[in-house]
Amino acid sequence: MTDKVSTSTASLNKFEKFKAEKDGLSVKAEIEKFASLGWEAMDETDRDHRLKWVGVFFRPVTPGKFMMRLRMPNGIITSDQMRVLAEVLQRYGDDGSADITTRQNIQLRGIRIEDLPDIFEKFHSVGLTSVQSGMDNVRNITGDPVAGLDAEELFDTRELVQQIQDMVTNNGEGNPEFTNLPRKFNIAITGGRDNSVHAEINDLAFVPAFKEDNGQWAMGNGEETVTTSSSPTPHSLLTTPQKRFGFNILVGGFFSAKRCEAAIPLNAWVPPEDVVAVCRAVLEVFRDNGSRANRLKSRLMWLIDEWGIEKFRDEVERKLGTPLPSAAAKDEIDWEKRDHIGVHKQKQPGLNYVGLHVPVGRLYAEDMFDMARLAEVYGSGEIRLTVEENFIIPDVSDSRLETLLTEPLLEKFSVNPAPLTRALVSCTGAQFCNFALIETKNRALAMIKELEMELEVTHPVRIHWTGCPNSCGQPQVADIGLMGTKARKNGKAVEGVDIYMGGKVGKDAHLGSCVAKGIPCEDLLPVLRELIIEHFDARLREAVTV
Ligand code: SRM
Ligand code: SF4
């Protein structure tokens, strides 16, 4: 580790100080002790902060009932794993619930500290890990949810995502090399054409791009064979000019209360076999040089600003030990974004993937048992999660499709939801999150129901709710984004929202911007109604008068 990590403690923020005193990952060895001590008697820094290194989040809103955030590389979970999560929740009765997150992941709620040893053992038995899923770590790595199923995809990212996760987390056991980053770090990689991962809002993203190969490609710079720090296999030189598949690299995308930025091109291209090495190099550069003074200015983009993109790229190449080829002239993100809901043909003849809509991502134990059952009975036992907080059952044969569509779970999790409901996304909000300025999930659902009753809408309108400026619900990627704030009404402070519009996803993605501030939530319904009518071709249903 480097100068910046070991800088005198005077210049470090309070998070850096407690990390310097004791690495977050060290709580992994103390779980039994915490379980017998109980949450009230534990050291507060361990409880409120360091436990997040193993994915356990103290919730000031529900003290004693913790949240656990898993890791689901590429959003993939097996039926056995889902059943284990359901069993964990089941013991907590009404306190137990789960959410599919905006990073294709699952969080469990209601967890008691005394149960952690048993829960970790259960996770281990089915290959689940929650390690390094919070705080200054690499978060769940997102990938195309239909990787390996989509006939039009350019590259199946599943293995790559798993390899990146294994590198970052030491195969899920925890990797001290990357447990003390200056701040959180998001990685996404897609081999599909519709940017299903929102590449532009990640600190590091890989998007598909073909590179003209004139006998020189990748890290070899024209030499006959090359190796990289983490890929011992020599790459063979292609001798005839042709197009070679790889990824253009984007860096520095992030949302925070202080600033939001879309990722910018590193002007570099990488073949699939070198992606893990590039991730490692970028992480090392960030770890060793990112600012640890002001936590509001610690995300990767702040370092890129300080250095300029050229120096940043030079440093990454220095870590890699070899230059990166410049980016391909264009990337292959040329489709509008799909939401994967409904029945779709797979590239494997006779098989289908079925996308089910989960209202604002909220799940209960019985839903999860049922999801596992459906995946086993009708598919191959696999479940895929999406960044829209929904899930997909792949590998459903033509012959079983009709019966699947009659399953009672599909009444709750529809394959054909109404257009506004279909595209609704919400962060956790005040029910469980102490940062929240407003209630989100429940309010979002209630309001969308009213809007569906009032409006005839011909196509989905992507409405994203987020309870505070941290933007976990990604309002800047939405058609209409709603960000919790304090508003004033009749001289009183009330729950309100700032409204964002213009977020474009898929091809030519760009962030939306704030168009109205401080709308009291109680006045929001008519405002949304008007926006949807004016901008998204909706009209009032005939029977409705407003
Ligand atoms: Fe987030 C902090 C929930 C995706 C930006 N986020 C939090 C915490 C951990 C705060 C806390 O301790 O209460 C929230 C936990 C609440 C709870 O009980 O659920 C929380 N974030 C979430 C989730 C669950 C929202 C959801 O409903 O899906 C998402 C979990 C993803 C995962 O599986 O890992 C989630 N958070 C995001 C995203 C979206 C994304 O990654 O695409 C963002 C914006 C993108 C980004 O990070 O650049 C996001 N969360 C933040 C931030 C602002 C980061 C910053 O640089 O300032 C915070 C606050 C912080 O880290 O200090 C935060
Ligand atoms: Fe909590 Fe704010 Fe994130 Fe919503 S956006 S989960 S309220 S931190």
Side-chain angles (χ1 to χ4, degrees), residues 144 150-157 190-194 207-210 245-247 272 331-334 347:
D144 197 314
D150 175 7
E152 306 296 330
E153 82 181 342
L154 300 161
F155 189 83
D156 176 355
T157 51
T190 177
R193 313 186 76 115
D194 70 338
V207 293
F210 287 97
F245 179 78
F247 300 94
D331 63 42
E332 301 297 322
I333 302 293
D334 49 8
K347 71 173 162 198

Side-chain angles (χ1 to χ4, degrees), residues 59 101-103 105 107 109 184 255 299 428 472 474:
R59 299 292 71 202
T101 78
T102 52
R103 290 200 70 79
N105 196 4
Q107 293 187 165
R109 297 186 190 282
K184 72 188 289 194
F255 296 159
R299 295 290 293 270
T428 305
C472 305
Q474 310 154 325

Side-chain angles (χ1 to χ4, degrees), residues 115 123 281 317 431 490:
D115 297 331
F123 284 1
E317 290 176 337
Q431 190 182 3
N490 304 328

Side-chain angles (χ1 to χ4, degrees), residues 123-335:
F123 284 1
H124 209 254
S125 71
V126 288
L128 275 173
T129 183
S130 58
V131 80
Q132 292 166 240
S133 59
M135 285 299 290
D136 299 346
N137 286 292
V138 176
R139 302 305 172 82
N140 194 46
I141 300 160
T142 55
D144 197 314
V146 289
L149 313 175
D150 175 7
E152 306 296 330
E153 82 181 342
L154 300 161
F155 189 83
D156 176 355
T157 51
R158 287 175 295 173
E159 233 177 276
L160 262 185
V161 174
Q162 185 66 54
Q163 285 169 8
I164 302 167
Q165 171 166 310
D166 289 347
M167 180 270 289
V168 169
T169 66
N170 179 27
N171 303 312
E173 295 301 317
N175 181 358
E177 279 185 286
F178 297 118
T179 49
N180 188 2
L181 299 175
R183 204 64 166 90
K184 72 188 289 194
F185 195 92
N186 290 331
I187 301 178
I189 174 161
T190 177
R193 313 186 76 115
D194 70 338
N195 188 14
S196 57
V197 291
H198 301 312
E200 68 284 3
I201 66 171
N202 284 264
D203 296 276
L204 174 60
F206 298 88
V207 293
F210 287 97
K211 185 109 175 103
E212 285 295 335
D213 163 42
N214 294 313
Q216 294 190 5
W217 67 277
M219 297 184 174
N221 240 10
E223 291 172 25
E224 200 143 28
T225 59
V226 285
T227 55
T228 68
S229 49
S230 79
S231 86
T233 325
H235 310 309
S236 51
L237 183 77
L238 294 181
T239 46
T240 49
Q242 55 180 282
K243 283 185 170 182
R244 183 165 186 90
F245 179 78
F247 300 94
N248 279 348
I249 304 172
L250 304 176
V251 287
F254 78 116
F255 296 159
S256 74
K258 189 173 173 65
R259 178 180 173 201
C260 295
E261 293 289 346
I264 57 174
L266 183 63
N267 186 23
W269 177 91
V270 61
E273 59 271 32
D274 293 326
V275 164
V276 179
V278 168
C279 286
R280 169 176 275 281
V282 171
L283 283 172
E284 286 176 354
V285 169
F286 178 52
R287 179 193 66 196
D288 298 349
N289 301 282
S291 166
R292 291 171 186 265
N294 180 351
R295 221 166 147 75
L296 296 175
K297 296 187 173 181
S298 295
R299 295 290 293 270
L300 181 68
M301 186 59 108
W302 293 96
L303 176 64
I304 297 171
D305 284 349
E306 184 190 326
W307 279 356
I309 193 76
E310 285 309 321
K311 174 167 178 195
F312 178 74
R313 182 179 157 165
D314 288 350
E315 291 298 321
V316 171
E317 290 176 337
R318 211 158 59 81
K319 283 277 184 205
L320 270 173
T322 180
L324 284 163
S326 53
K330 74 175 202 46
D331 63 42
E332 301 297 322
I333 302 293
D334 49 8
W335 284 15

